[in-house]
């Protein structure tokens, strides 16, 4: 017999202790709305376990009761992946109290962290051991590693170090029936059958709950050079990227495309952000090259490559950071673009990827479509040119009604995504599917892929309790 909400809560209090089962509206509120305020859910309770054993008992209990469980990390998802639905019948499972760094092995270049560790906290721990964890996200002060791995987060270092999935050596996962998969290996080589753990990376909590991970570390960057560069156009930016890779022995760690409007929005809305250059240009690149050798001449290599590009009319101007403060200011401009967009008003977001070389043609075609078919939006297209991932976003033009603008999201999104598809690209490069893009996945994934995804879901979670309605519709 299905237990009532009150019976279930009583059982969960027995497992977790009363203080770890939140039910008061004010306590639960922060867990019920997503970062973009797209969804406002309800929940039977918010659970805050302290141990893996407790997570295991909670899932076994919910599996038996057929109650949906929504894993919740730092709540920085762009697709509503960590927000419960409106039924009030689901439970939110916060991982924030599982926040220990279990070990760090400098010689093996690895660390083992629990899901609730804040990404920035892991950066600091790696740094203390003279190592680097290269996953770099604007939200690193609050996002949690469990969420980063569950969504296979990207960020600004992907071109050199890969996505979150590429940084994982091992995982510990609690399965929906309560079993614990201990695959916390620290091996670089392990060819022993199917790579089961990799299925949880990017699964957004729909197959189980990641409770800990072994992550790869790298040598610390000790010679870093950063430049904010005005480029002639987007094609010139793509050429510049290849040149920098060649000139630096492939040590480009970030290569971010920034349009003029993003400089205008950040300087207007974000305190202390200023335009690094004297004159306005249409397109910029924030690029960073780095080496673990403290005197590898990174600044000289970057400077020489930029001077040559200036002579070849790829680059119009550049500001090279002279110290850490200037470097931080350049990164602040880039990282506060989403915040500036939010302060400017309603926006439609398209987290797309195409092959890097196709970006200029894609941008030209997609921008022409927007001018002709969505004049109520102002294009704010920026992002990770180095790996082909663009945030092809639109902000409501001044005077445009926000609700009407947002209501047009499906039409605009479908047109942009159709074009992405034509270019062999992805409609969700780094933000995942969550609840927002379930329909797009059904539309664009090929039939065989979808069948396999459903088969995996059924095999891992036969009663459909894990993050119901996310990634795949029930
Ligand atoms: C970024 O690259 C984030 O800044 C957010 O992925 C992008 O707001 C966005 O669309
Ligand atoms: Zn991004």
């Amino acid at each position: 017999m299905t237990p009532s909400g009150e019976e279930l809560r009583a059982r969960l209090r027995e497992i977790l202790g009363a203080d770890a089962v939140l039910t008061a509206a004010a306590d639960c509120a922060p867990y019920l709305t997503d970062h973009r305020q797209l969804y406002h859910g309800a929940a039977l309770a918010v659970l805050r376990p302290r141990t893996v054993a407790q997570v295991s008992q909670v899932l076994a209990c919910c599996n038996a009761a057929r109650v949906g469980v929504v894993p919740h990390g730092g709540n920085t998802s762009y697709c509503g992946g960590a927000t419960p639905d409106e039924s009030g019948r689901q439970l939110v499972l916060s991982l924030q109290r599982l926040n220990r760094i279990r070990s760090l092995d400098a010689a093996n270049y690895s660390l083992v962290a629990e899901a609730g560790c804040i990404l920035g906290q892991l950066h600091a721990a790696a740094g203390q051991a003279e190592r680097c964890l290269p996953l770099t996200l604007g939200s690193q002060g609050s996002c949690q590693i469990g969420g980063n791995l569950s969504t296979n987060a990207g960020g600004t270092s992907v071109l050199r170090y890969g996505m979150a999935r590429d940084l994982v050596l091992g995982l510990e996962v609690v399965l929906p029936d309560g079993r614990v998969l201990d695959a916390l290996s620290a091996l670089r080589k392990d060819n022993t059958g199917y790579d089961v753990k990799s299925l949880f990376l990017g699964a957004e909590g729909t197959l189980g709950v990641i409770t800990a991970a072994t992550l790869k570390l790298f040598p610390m960057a000790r010679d870093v050079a950063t430049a904010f560069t005005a480029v002639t156009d987007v094609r010139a930016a793509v050429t510049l990227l290849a040149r920098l890779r060649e000139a630096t022995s492939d040590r480009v760690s970030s290569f971010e495309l920034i349009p003029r409007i993003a400089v205008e929005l950040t300087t207007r809305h974000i305190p202390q952000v200023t335009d690094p250059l004297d004159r306005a240009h249409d397109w910029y690149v924030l690029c960073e090259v780095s080496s673990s050798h403290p005197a590898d001449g990174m600044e000289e290599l970057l400077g020489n490559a930029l001077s040559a590009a200036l002579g070849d009319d790829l680059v119009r101007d550049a500001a090279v950071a002279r110290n850490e403060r200037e470097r931080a200011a350049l990164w602040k401009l880039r990282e506060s673009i989403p915040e500036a967009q939010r302060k400017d008003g309603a926006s439609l977001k398209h987290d797309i990827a195409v092959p890097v070389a196709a970006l200029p043609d894609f941008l030209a075609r997609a921008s022409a479509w927007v001018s002709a078919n969505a004049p109520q939006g102002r294009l704010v297209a920026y992002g990770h040119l180095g790996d082909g991932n663009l945030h092809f976003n639109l902000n409501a033009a001044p005077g445009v009604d926000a609700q009407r603008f947002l209501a047009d999201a499906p039409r605009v999104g479908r047109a942009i995504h159709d074009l992405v598809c034509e270019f062999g690209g992805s409609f969700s490069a780094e933000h995942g599917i969550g609840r927002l893009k379930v329909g797009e996945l059904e539309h664009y994934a090929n039939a065989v892929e979808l069948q396999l995804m459903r088969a995996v879901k059924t095999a891992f979670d036969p009663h459909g309790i894990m993050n119901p309605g996310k990634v795949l519709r029930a």
Side-chain angles (χ1 to χ4, degrees), residues 148-214:
N148 300 150
L149 301 180
S150 294
T151 57
N152 185 26
T156 52
S157 305
V158 172
L159 84 161
R160 178 124 171 228
Y161 297 101
M163 303 276 285
R165 128 181 354 270
D166 300 303
L167 302 173
V168 176
L169 295 172
L171 281 185
E172 177 187 81
V173 183
V174 180
L175 301 175
D177 61 8
R179 278 177 300 164
V180 179
L181 170 69
D182 180 355
L184 273 179
S185 140
L187 300 174
R188 254 95 181 159
K189 283 184 138 176
D190 183 15
N191 264 347
T192 49
Y194 301 144
D195 186 3
V196 174
K197 71 170 184 321
S198 74
L199 285 169
F200 298 96
L201 302 166
E204 304 185 38
T206 61
L207 301 179
V209 179
I210 295 177
T211 46
T214 314

Side-chain angles (χ1 to χ4, degrees), residues 78 138 155-156 256 334-335 337-338 341 349-351 382-384 389 391 393 430-431:
Y78 272 77
T156 52
E256 297 287 306
R334 164 60 186 93
E335 282 174 350
I337 300 173
Q341 256 204 292
K349 292 184 182 278
H350 310 98
D351 168 36
Y382 63 96
H384 322 291
N389 174 197
H391 299 300
N393 297 344
E430 64 169 0
H431 293 166

Side-chain angles (χ1 to χ4, degrees), residues 183-451:
L184 273 179
S185 140
L187 300 174
R188 254 95 181 159
K189 283 184 138 176
D190 183 15
N191 264 347
T192 49
Y194 301 144
D195 186 3
V196 174
K197 71 170 184 321
S198 74
L199 285 169
F200 298 96
L201 302 166
E204 304 185 38
T206 61
L207 301 179
V209 179
I210 295 177
T211 46
T214 314
L215 301 170
K216 281 184 205 166
L217 301 179
F218 291 80
M220 232 162 65
R222 291 201 169 80
D223 184 359
V224 180
T226 311
F228 185 81
T229 309
V231 286
T232 308
D233 53 24
V234 178
R235 202 171 298 281
V238 172
T239 309
L240 179 64
L241 169 64
R243 286 197 179 192
L244 281 181
R245 292 186 67 173
E246 296 291 326
T248 61
S249 308
D250 216 2
R251 284 174 293 176
V252 181
S253 33
S254 295
F255 199 88
E256 297 287 306
L257 183 71
I258 299 174
R260 177 67 204 164
I261 189 167
V263 175
E264 285 165 8
L265 291 177
T266 48
T267 50
R268 185 177 323 142
H269 294 297
I270 311 290
Q272 280 145 33
V273 172
T274 53
D275 187 342
L277 299 176
D278 299 333
R279 283 190 34 234
H281 300 269
D282 290 345
W283 291 102
Y284 306 89
V285 163
L286 175 59
C287 54
E288 191 157 283
V289 298
S290 58
S291 165
S292 56
H293 192 289
D296 225 359
M298 285 292 117
E299 193 173 320
E300 196 182 340
L301 285 178
L302 179 63
N304 290 346
L306 290 179
S307 303
L310 199 72
D312 296 337
D313 199 30
L314 297 170
V315 161
R316 296 279 159 89
D317 197 3
V320 179
R322 285 168 299 190
N323 50 45
E324 186 50 37
R325 191 180 49 76
E326 289 187 1
R327 172 176 175 261
L330 297 181
W331 275 108
K332 182 159 171 78
L333 187 160
R334 164 60 186 93
E335 282 174 350
S336 46
I337 300 173
E339 170 75 352
Q341 256 204 292
R342 194 181 59 72
K343 289 194 166 152
D344 200 60
S347 59
L348 305 180
K349 292 184 182 278
H350 310 98
D351 168 36
I352 67 94
V354 297
V356 176
L359 265 173
D361 290 339
F362 169 80
L363 249 177
R365 294 261 309 273
S367 312
W369 186 90
V370 168
S371 320
N373 299 286
Q376 67 281 17
R378 284 196 303 173
L379 194 56
V380 188
Y382 63 96
H384 322 291
L385 184 144
D387 59 49
N389 174 197
L390 210 62
H391 299 300
F392 191 83
N393 297 344
L394 267 62
N395 260 44
V400 168
D401 176 68
Q403 290 317 313
R404 281 187 54 194
F405 177 71
L406 293 175
D408 210 12
R411 180 186 71 93
V412 176
R414 194 43 68 83
I416 302 299
H417 295 158
D418 279 352
L419 193 61
V420 166
C421 204
E422 219 185 280
F423 278 82
S426 167
F427 68 87
S428 189
E430 64 169 0
H431 293 166
I433 302 297
R435 180 163 160 187
L436 185 66
K437 297 182 190 165
V438 171
E440 296 304 88
L441 184 68
E442 285 170 356
H443 187 78
Y444 291 105
N446 73 52
V448 178
E449 210 169 15
L450 262 185
Q451 280 162 13

